[in-house]
Amino acid sequence: MKLNQLLSAAMAAFALSGAVAGEVEVLHYWTSGGEAKSAAELRKMMQSKGHTWKDFAVAGGGGDNAMTVLKSRVVSGNPPSAAQIKGPAIQEWAAEGVLANLDAVAKAENWDASLPVVVANVMKYKGNYVAAPVNVHRVNWLWASPEVLKKAGVPAMPKTFDEFFAAADKIKAAGLIPVAHGGQNWQDFTTFESVVLGVGGAKFYQDALVKLDQKALNSDTMKKSLETFRKIKSYTDPAAPGRDWNLATAMVMQGKAGFQFMGDWAKGEFIAAGKVPGKDFLCAAAPGTANAFTFNVDSFAMYKLKDAGAQKAQADLAAAIMSPAFQEVFNLNKGSIPVRLGMKMDKFDDCAKLSSKDFVDTARTGGLVPSVAHGMAVSPAAEGAIKDAVSQFWNNDKISVADGMKNIAKAATTQ
């Protein structure tokens, strides 16, 4: 069914229900081109149900600015209907008693059957839905320039770290930069968590980076992960510190660098520049991680409201976010994939199709794990401390692997 048909059906259902129309105020940080387009699509769906959409977009800082504004609104007793929040931060807000219960919508729309259990659990607090998921980003991607690989005589995307380093040596010998990287702690950790997953596998990743188990954090597998991570650093260029992620992606796009470890928002950059997957850029799971999937799920937490019309609008917003129509149009714009299981993927590119297949497969096998780098796995305090320890190790070659491991293990105890 096409989007406009779905919107018409929604309007008809709304007319029959005789429901109360209300205002829905949505705090989000979707301000870039594709994201803003997607927010406009959601607004259209809400307006088709007779509701008034009040846009509350806060740019900058990957959502940090938005969270500051949100806190002041909630503390003053005037929360928005919905706010873009993800991961354990959802549970932290729910524990404050300020989030609305979405179980009625979730039951009517059959969310339990439409979401992998591991994702559904992130949207719940004490068994009740309090947030609606929008999409899934895969974080453990390796992007490459086919032009650079060809120049360097690299025959295919590397599947193991041994193959990766052999390819990096060839790219270096060809006078090009093997690894495009930017110098921000979340970029360092995006690479680090893919290395831990590739070296140790999904169970080790869960034990070390999600459960923060001290035995795993001080193990030989973690030692090997840090040695591999440090070796990757030696293939980056001296200008990497302070570089934004999209500028690193541009280096791959322009044939200046061979590889980049980055989530699939990098694909959004390639697509926006008119590049074609398989021809102008290549995508593959990071070395050693083909049977695993680190997820980053954008979502909207819903706040407790007093007005009946506003409550109805909020419930309709939650239903619209999880609707197949919005899941399709949003993710086509964003470079991510639908979070709903069983979605048709014929309009999506080959990288998204691979991502979707692996998302479904790993949800069954236990290889679907939350991204620490992107706020999906541990408390914000622990995440910040571990990121700092990992970046210190990445940026200072004088820190030994043994000391790096100790520092990360200590950071993991941060409450």
Side-chain angles (χ1 to χ4, degrees):
M1 196 184 276
K2 290 198 168 67
L3 181 61
N4 55 3
Q5 290 174 304
L6 278 159
L7 293 178
S8 302
M11 287 176 80
F14 174 75
L16 287 169
S17 68
V20 187
E23 180 180 87
V24 61
E25 185 182 19
V26 184
L27 188 153
H28 64 89
Y29 44 95
W30 288 335
T31 53
S32 75
E35 296 169 336
K37 255 192 228 172
S38 303
E41 212 57 63
L42 195 54
R43 179 172 68 237
K44 209 189 295 176
M45 290 177 91
M46 293 306 291
Q47 288 168 342
S48 77
K49 294 189 173 196
H51 301 305
T52 306
W53 172 282
K54 190 174 178 188
D55 203 57
F56 190 177
V58 181
D64 293 346
N65 297 347
M67 291 310 98
T68 305
V69 174
L70 178 63
K71 277 171 190 162
S72 65
R73 284 285 303 269
V74 175
V75 167
S76 67
N78 181 31
S81 311
Q84 192 181 345
I85 304 172
K86 62 184 184 180
I90 294 170
Q91 280 74 41
E92 289 190 355
W93 278 108
E96 297 290 327
V98 293
L99 296 188
N101 185 319
L102 299 177
D103 283 352
V105 181
K107 196 174 177 189
E109 303 284 327
N110 207 9
W111 287 7
D112 275 344
S114 303
L115 294 170
V117 173
V118 66
V119 174
N121 287 345
V122 178
M123 302 300 131
K124 292 177 179 179
Y125 177 70
K126 294 186 174 175
N128 305 119
Y129 279 99
V130 291
V134 179
N135 64 343
V136 183
H137 281 293
R138 186 181 199 171
V139 180
N140 60 313
W141 279 115
L142 181 68
W143 306 94
S145 161
E147 180 194 338
V148 170
L149 299 198
K150 193 178 174 186
K151 270 185 197 165
V154 176
M157 288 292 273
K159 290 184 175 152
T160 65
F161 276 111
D162 285 344
E163 288 179 9
F164 175 80
F165 291 126
D169 284 334
K170 286 182 175 178
I171 294 166
K172 200 172 191 175
L176 295 159
I177 298 162
V179 179
H181 189 77
Q184 291 156 323
N185 70 0
W186 68 266
Q187 289 192 64
D188 300 339
F189 210 99
T190 293
T191 302
F192 179 68
E193 70 180 22
S194 283
V195 170
V196 171
L197 189 63
V199 169
K203 187 187 180 300
F204 177 76
Y205 176 97
Q206 283 272 25
D207 289 345
L209 298 186
V210 181
K211 294 176 184 169
L212 305 179
D213 175 68
Q214 285 294 313
K215 194 177 165 192
L217 287 165
N218 289 288
S219 67
D220 286 344
T221 308
M222 183 53 78
K223 179 174 178 271
K224 192 180 177 194
S225 298
L226 282 166
E227 288 166 352
T228 305
F229 183 56
R230 173 153 280 167
K231 193 172 179 183
I232 291 170
K233 166 77 188 308
S234 71
Y235 291 100
T236 61
D237 66 301
R243 180 188 288 143
D244 280 337
W245 70 270
N246 55 322
L247 298 180
T249 305
M251 290 165 65
V252 177
M253 210 184 294
Q254 292 157 7
K256 292 176 183 173
F259 298 112
Q260 183 186 20
F261 290 87
M262 190 51 63
D264 53 20
W265 45 93
K267 188 186 72 180
E269 292 291 302
F270 286 114
I271 301 291
K275 304 298 180 187
V276 179
K279 180 178 163 238
D280 303 312
F281 67 96
L282 304 174
C283 62
T289 72
N291 297 320
F293 190 118
T294 37
F295 68 84
N296 174 20
V297 175
D298 285 315
S299 52
F300 280 99
M302 305 290 167
Y303 284 78
K304 284 181 179 171
L305 304 170
K306 297 186 179 89
D307 180 74
Q311 286 173 356
K312 170 63 184 158
Q314 184 184 60
D316 285 345
L317 175 67
I321 286 168
M322 269 290 284
S323 70
F326 179 70
Q327 288 278 318
E328 181 178 277
V329 74
F330 176 85
N331 289 294
L332 282 169
N333 284 330
K334 185 90 158 56
S336 44
I337 59 167
V339 70
R340 276 187 81 102
L341 297 170
M343 285 279 296
K344 280 186 179 171
M345 295 295 291
D346 46 335
K347 288 185 188 171
F348 288 81
D349 61 63
D350 288 346
C351 295
K353 284 173 182 165
L354 174 63
S355 188
S356 183
K357 180 190 177 296
D358 289 350
F359 177 60
V360 173
D361 290 349
T362 56
R364 283 199 298 262
T365 61
L368 185 62
V369 293
S371 167
V372 182
H374 298 278
M376 296 305 302
V378 297
S379 74
E383 182 193 322
I386 298 166
K387 275 181 179 168
D388 286 346
V390 166
S391 284
Q392 281 160 13
F393 176 78
W394 175 266
N395 290 310
N396 185 353
D397 292 341
K398 289 178 182 168
I399 298 174
S400 68
V401 167
D403 284 344
M405 199 154 66
K406 272 184 211 157
N407 295 344
I408 291 166
K410 188 184 174 194
T413 64
T414 305
Q415 296 296 316

